[in-house]
Structures are given as C-alpha cells and as structure tokens.
Amino acid sequence: MTRWGILGSGRIAHKFAQDLLTLPDAQLYAVASSDQSRADEFARDYSIPHAFGSYEDLLTLTDLDVVYVATPHVKHHENVMMLLNGGISVLGEKPFAMNSKQVREMVDTARSKKVFLMEALWSRFMPGIQKALELAQSGTIGNVVSVKADFGFKAPFLPDKRLFNKELGGGSLLDIGIYPLFLSYLFLGKPTAIKALAKFGSTGVDEQCGMVLSYADGQLALLDSTLLAKTDCIGLIQGETGQIRIHSRFHETTGVTLQPEEQESTTLMFERQTHGYDYEAQHVMNCLNEGRTESPLWSLDDSLNLMDLLDTVGAEAGIVY
C-alpha cells in the first residue's frame, strides 16, 4: 500500500484524489492546504486521516510515501524543494517549475539525495499516447516528417485568477502550450531552431502563442495554444507513408487513428472511467516499488529538456515572468 499526500486543494487536486481512489494499492493518507478549513473539507470528501493547514506540516508524517504537488505554477519549485529536502518522494504538477534554473535545482537535489521525483506530465502515461508512439516508432507511417498540435479553450476573463494573472504564472504557454510542445518532443526530440510569436492581453499574459520548430533532419512541428477560443485539440503525426491522428483532446485522448497511405484506416479506442490521472499515479507506485528514483518513461532529463523548450519559446515570443 502506497501512502499518498496531496499538497494543494484546488480543482486538479480533487480530480487526482478521485482517480487515486480507483487504485487498490493507493491510500489517500494526507492533504495539506494553505487554509485549514479547506484541508478539512478536502479530507472529509475523501476520508483522508490527516489534514493540515500548512504545507510544512506534511513533513511531520514520517510514514508518508509520496506527495502529489498541485499548487499554482509559481509555487511548484518552493513546494517540491521543501519535500525533497525532507526526504519525501514527489510527483510534481506541470509545468515542473517556472524556468530551467528552478527545474535544474529540483533535479540536482533529488539526484543528490536519491529521492524519487517525477513531473506529473500525465499525457505521457495515457494508453492512447503510448500506442501512438509505439506505432510511429515501429515504422507504420515511415519516417515522421511533421507534428501538428493545437490546444485552445475559451477561458472566462478573470484577471485575479491564475490563467490571466502573471504573478501566478498565467498565460497559454505554461498552462496548455506545454502539451503541444510535449508532443513534438516525444515524437521528434530536441529541435535545432524555434520561432514563436505571442498575443498579449491587458493583464500582460500571453493569451495566444504560436510555435514553429525545425529539426536536424528537416522535420517540422507546428504548434499553438490559446485561451481565446475552443480549438480542435488534435495531434497529427505525419509520416512519409501515413498519418497517426491522436483524437481530441489529444493530451487526454481515448482514441488513435492510424491512416496508412492508400489503405483503410484503423481506429483504436482506450475508454476509461477515470479522469486519467490514475495512469501516472500507478506508474509512480510501480517506480517506488521497484526502488527507482526517477521514471524510465518520463525522466528528469526529459523534464529539463521540456523546460528548456518552454524557456526558449518564451524568450522568442517575449513572454517574461
């Protein structure tokens, strides 16, 4: 039985807790919030035995196995470092931190202390994403020549809330642009050149961001994110002899269509009853049971590389925090 703590009590924390309850080897053991009443309410919702009104109090539980960090972006580094220095394993929400310097410190600390750390990039563990990658790597569409991915939804304009608040790490790039970038990295690796443009709103955050990435062998990735409109949210992996279509919304997909050139298409479905956070949680528990300190599917080097991409796109588009 793996004893989980949850740091944060917002919307994502609730979804993660609901999915954790579906895993027989997981126990919701503790929750910490910046407000005791919110922690108590969260604990009542999921029958959690320990509820704390400060994040630091989690460190008092010596039998805690791992903590899921679900706080706002700007708090990730501080919260993860506190837990790592306390010797507690961490699954930290994406983006891992606000910049590469912060991620490097987190990674170096985890490795030096030999404590498990993983970025909660849940898409990497979706069965549909794993199948799409398997199909591409097996040569079913020939050499991949391009990746196209978009992520957009019409967000209500609430200047004091996270999405449009620069001080809370708001904007489309860090919140949802990370997913198209992740997809390009998963299928094409690190690019040789990046071009990016952003549209800024009245609060100073990027409300839209467009990216073009090029690679050593001539491949291209065409990516975009927006908070201003609902887009298709599809991932297209184009090969020389076919295409893989990752169904909407691609980051949490339940379907993949393989379309070989001049052949019938094949659609594979991966239905689930959960939000989809259970896949990454189960992977973390597997890693801990195997004595690993980082994931073989989404390593700390992968997280560093992805944060470097976010930093480069941000610099190119003029996105500054």
Side-chain angles (χ1 to χ4, degrees), residues 12-54:
I12 298 298
H14 278 280
K15 289 186 175 183
F16 186 85
Q18 290 158 15
D19 282 2
L20 210 56
L21 291 176
T22 69
L23 299 176
D25 295 331
Q27 180 187 4
L28 269 169
Y29 194 61
V31 61
S33 175
S34 57
D35 178 87
Q36 185 66 56
S37 63
R38 290 187 69 189
D40 290 338
E41 181 181 358
F42 196 100
R44 283 194 300 271
D45 287 345
Y46 305 106
S47 301
I48 300 174
H50 302 282
F52 301 110
S54 79

Side-chain angles (χ1 to χ4, degrees), residues 172-222:
S172 78
L173 177 62
L174 286 186
D175 201 74
I176 55 177
I178 187 173
Y179 288 116
L181 270 174
F182 153 74
L183 202 68
S184 69
Y185 174 74
L186 188 64
F187 284 87
L188 294 175
K190 297 168 73 172
T192 54
I194 296 175
K195 298 294 182 183
L197 290 169
K199 183 263 183 187
F200 296 93
S202 60
T203 62
V205 304
D206 65 292
E207 296 179 338
Q208 296 198 100
C209 186
M211 301 156 265
V212 179
L213 289 65
S214 60
Y215 300 81
D217 294 329
Q219 305 99 323
L220 289 173
L222 308 175

